[in-house]
Amino acid sequence: MPNERYWIVGLPHGLAYILDLCLLILQTTDKMNHSSNEPEVETTEPLHFLSKVEASAIETELLRDYRFGQQQLIEIWGYACAIAITKAFPLKSISKKQPTVLVVCGPEQNGSVGLVCARHLRIFEYEPTIYYPKRSSHSVHQDFTVQCEKMDIPFLSYLPTEVQLINDAYNLVIDATLGPESDPKDIKEPYSSILVTLKQVKIPIASVDVPLGWDADEADKEGISPEVLISLVAPKKCATNFSGKHFLAGRFLPYDIQKKYELNLPEFPETECLIEL
């Protein structure tokens, strides 16, 4: 049957058929273009939680192969921890008249991260006090101690066993005691006593990388219960089911290491040095 649209303008059957076919092709192409412009559903790989062995291997590569200095890494992490504290506990949200913070530092690298964190918090107008019962003899750690002393940050000679004194004097505690390498079944003094005390405090606790009393490879119910966790490089397996506020300080990590260990780190916002998970 002749196409009446084209016979009205006097077109023959064959030409009318060709024009109809061209119209059909254009409509089909338009639909295909429309569907291709629809947003694609992105598939993101889950964040990888590091084992104790992996965490140690990554740090070794950073120091040996990528020529990072230990002091450099500690400074990066300590600064990021201080930024995390300012986000979790902004000055305007502090309930006490003075923005006091108790920073409990261990003898090794985690303790030095706590020292750097305290120094930056002092710059950010918080009032940190440091409890550092076993000072390291390593020159790197000693340097961070001197920096805090030169900024007039007070050091406690002992930790009050009367928990209410801590609750009354400080707004929060930063736990920078023992790192991923520690064994929660073999915590020696004075950290076993510190563990008992911190488990009783009522003010918030923010832990650096691995909370005191936890094994890096699994959460430990015998450890403390922090409200905030700041993971360094990548979160450890113990943080898999952590339900508090969780920050990641790992933006400096070279891409090749991220790829090698399949870390699947999230995209950090703009120029931020950390991200809340």
Side-chain angles (χ1 to χ4, degrees), residues 80-81 83-85 87 230 247-251 268-269 272-276:
C81 286
I83 295 295
I85 295 299
K87 291 180 179 296
I230 308 165
F247 293 94
L248 171 63
R251 190 164 195 173
F268 287 76
E272 293 282 359
C273 64
L274 78 164
I275 187 173
E276 184 175 352

Side-chain angles (χ1 to χ4, degrees), residues 213-224:
W214 290 30
D215 188 299
D217 287 335
E218 57 182 344
D220 196 320
K221 295 180 181 179
E222 298 303 316
I224 62 174

Side-chain angles (χ1 to χ4, degrees), residues 14-206:
L15 187 55
Y17 175 76
I18 292 172
L19 288 173
D20 270 347
L21 185 61
C22 289
L23 181 61
L24 179 62
I25 292 172
L26 286 172
Q27 289 173 340
T28 304
T29 304
D30 182 63
K31 287 180 180 178
M32 291 176 65
N33 289 337
H34 179 72
S35 62
S36 65
N37 290 332
E38 292 178 356
E40 295 182 1
V41 179
E42 294 186 3
T43 56
T44 29
E45 294 294 326
L47 180 64
H48 180 63
F49 288 75
L50 293 177
S51 68
K52 191 181 298 188
V53 172
E54 289 173 320
S56 177
I58 288 176
E59 186 170 330
T60 298
E61 285 192 41
L62 288 171
L63 294 169
R64 182 192 63 205
D65 301 336
Y66 288 84
R67 310 299 290 176
F68 278 88
Q70 187 182 21
Q71 196 168 40
Q72 179 185 13
L73 291 176
I74 291 171
E75 183 68 31
I76 291 171
W77 290 327
Y79 172 74
C81 286
I83 295 295
I85 295 299
T86 67
K87 291 180 179 296
F89 307 98
L91 281 172
K92 61 183 179 181
S93 73
I94 298 292
S95 59
K96 292 182 174 64
K97 187 176 180 180
Q98 304 298 326
T100 50
V101 179
L102 176 61
V103 186
V104 184
C105 297
E108 303 297 337
Q109 184 166 276
N110 237 36
S112 287
V113 172
L115 294 173
V116 174
C117 176
R119 171 162 50 84
H120 284 289
L121 287 176
R122 185 75 179 87
I123 294 170
F124 298 151
E125 299 186 351
Y126 290 76
E127 296 183 13
T129 295
I130 297 169
Y131 179 52
Y132 190 18
K134 293 185 71 173
R135 300 193 181 194
S136 172
S137 59
H138 196 296
S139 61
V140 170
H141 305 304
Q142 289 180 341
D143 290 345
F144 291 124
T145 305
V146 171
Q147 291 165 13
C148 289
E149 291 172 339
K150 292 292 186 183
M151 292 188 69
D152 294 325
I153 298 175
F155 283 74
L156 293 180
S157 57
Y158 67 95
L159 185 68
T161 53
E162 181 56 53
V163 176
Q164 193 56 44
L165 292 176
I166 299 174
N167 293 335
D168 292 341
Y170 304 102
N171 293 278
L172 67 134
V173 177
I174 298 176
D175 156 39
T177 48
L178 307 179
E181 69 283 351
S182 65
D183 181 359
K185 296 180 177 61
D186 189 32
I187 298 178
K188 296 179 171 61
E189 288 291 354
Y191 303 103
S192 56
S193 295
I194 294 172
L195 174 60
V196 172
T197 300
L198 293 188
K199 286 175 70 173
Q200 298 177 66
V201 298
K202 300 300 182 184
I203 56 176
I205 298 176

